[in-house]
Amino acid sequence: MFKPAVPALALLLSGAVLAAPVELKVSLKVGDQPLVLGQTYQNPAGNAYSVNLLRFYLSNVALVRRDGTEVKAGGLTLAEFKPGGPTQEVTVLKMEVPTGDYAGIRFSVGVPRELNHLDAAKQSAPLGVGSGMYWSWNAGYIFYRFEGRYMRANTPTPFLLHLGGDAAMQNVNLADLESYSTPIPVSEGGGTVQVNLDVSKVFSAGVGGEPYDLSVAKYTQVHGGPVALQAYTNLQGAWSLDTRTQASTQPSISGTVTVPAGMPLEKVVVWLCPAKDAMCLEPPLKALRLSGSGRSAGYSFTDLPPGRYAVWAFYDKDGDGVYKHGSDTMMVPYFKGSPMTMPMGNHTMLQPTLVMPPAQGINLELK
C-alpha cells in the first residue's frame, strides 16, 4: 500500500506534449526469489530469520530521459509491507509524465531534510505520529523500518533495523544512459515502472568481512552507529529495475537487406550490436549470415533483453565473419525507415540502423 502526503505529481505540460499515468511498483526479493513474509530464510552468517514488517519512505522520484534530464514527481510516499499483505508488484506511487521512452528511474529512500525535522504531532499522513515511523526520543523520522525474527537456541527472537537521520538519506539511481538496456516506455495509455528490493542484501558482510550475525547483540537492535552504516551501504545496492515483468508481444528485431546485382547473399553477414549513439560496439551480440536466392534476404534476432541496438550488414569477402576494410560495394538496408549507406574509402559499411525496442516489445521472460 502507499500513503501519499501530497499529490503524486505536479507537472507543467505545454504544447502538444501528452501526459500519461504511470505507476511505480515495488517487489520484495530474497535473491531472485519473491520474499514471503514470515517464511524462514538463512543469511550468510548462518542465522535462520524471517521478515514480518518492512516500511520505508520514498521521495524525489523522477523518470530519466535518454539525455539524462528528469521528469520529477513531487510528494512523499510511505511504502508498507506487513503480514497479510502482498509483497510483489505493490503500487507505491502514481504519477503522470509525458509520453515517451525513458532510460530509467531515480529516487531517494528517506525524508527530505526540510520535512525531517517538523513536529510530527502536527503533520498528516504519512508524516504523522500514527505512521509508526517517528522516533519520539530523537528528532526525525525512521527512513527504513525492517523487523523480523531469528532463531536463537531454537527460540524465535525479535530483531530490528531502524535507519534514519539526514545522513542516511539514500539516493538510488536505476537509469542506464550508456546502453539503454532498461527502457521504460510510456504510451498514451500509460506505463509501469517496476523495481525490486532484495532484502537479503541487508545481511551482507561489512568492512573487513565481519558477518552480519543476528546472534551478536549489536546486530539485533540497530538504530545507529557502525552497524547502521553497514546496513545503509548494503541497502544501497539492493535496488534493481525489474525488466522481466514487462509484457512480451514482439520478441525479435527483424528486417531485410537488399544487395546489388551479382553479390551472393551468402557473402553478407548481419550483426546485432549493443549500441550507443548509433555505433556498433564489438563484439556483436548476435550475428547471422544471409542465405537464399535473388537480391534480398531477411534477418531476425530473437530472445533479446530491452535495450538500444544497431543493425549492421557487410560484405564478408574472405568469409571469416569479421567486419574489416575490403569492399566498395553499396548495400541497402530496410528497417523501420529509409535506406542508408555510408561509403568509407575502399569499403562500405551499412549505416548502423539504431533500434530501440520498447520493453513491451521484447521477450523478457526468456533466460
Side-chain angles (χ1 to χ4, degrees), residues 4-29:
V6 297
L9 182 70
L11 180 66
L12 297 177
L13 300 176
S14 60
V17 177
L18 298 176
V22 173
E23 292 188 4
L24 173 59
K25 296 177 179 284
V26 175
S27 294
L28 302 183
K29 304 290 183 179

Side-chain angles (χ1 to χ4, degrees), residues 209-268:
E210 180 179 337
Y212 198 115
D213 188 348
L214 293 171
S215 66
V216 177
K218 67 178 181 178
Y219 289 101
T220 305
Q221 306 286 318
V222 181
H223 296 92
V227 175
L229 179 59
Q230 177 181 341
Y232 169 88
T233 302
N234 292 343
L235 285 167
Q236 186 71 48
W239 292 93
S240 63
L241 191 59
D242 189 342
T243 58
R244 294 176 301 164
T245 56
Q246 312 275 349
S248 170
T249 58
Q250 186 183 351
S252 66
I253 291 174
S254 59
T256 301
V257 173
T258 301
V259 301
M263 176 181 288
L265 286 171
E266 63 270 15
K267 283 289 187 179
V268 177

Side-chain angles (χ1 to χ4, degrees), residues 32-104:
D32 60 357
Q33 299 300 311
L35 170 73
V36 177
L37 293 172
Q39 181 171 307
T40 300
Y41 302 93
Q42 187 167 359
N43 68 14
N47 308 130
Y49 73 93
S50 61
V51 179
N52 56 35
L53 178 68
L54 178 60
R55 293 176 182 162
F56 51 84
Y57 283 107
L58 288 181
S59 57
N60 301 325
V61 178
L63 286 185
V64 184
R65 297 187 180 96
R66 292 188 178 280
D67 63 2
T69 59
E70 297 181 344
V71 176
K72 297 182 181 296
L76 179 76
T77 293
L78 176 60
E80 182 176 29
F81 299 84
K82 59 183 180 180
T87 62
Q88 304 303 299
E89 300 181 28
V90 176
T91 298
V92 298
L93 183 67
K94 295 180 178 180
M95 48 188 153
E96 289 191 352
V97 302
T99 57
D101 195 21
Y102 293 86

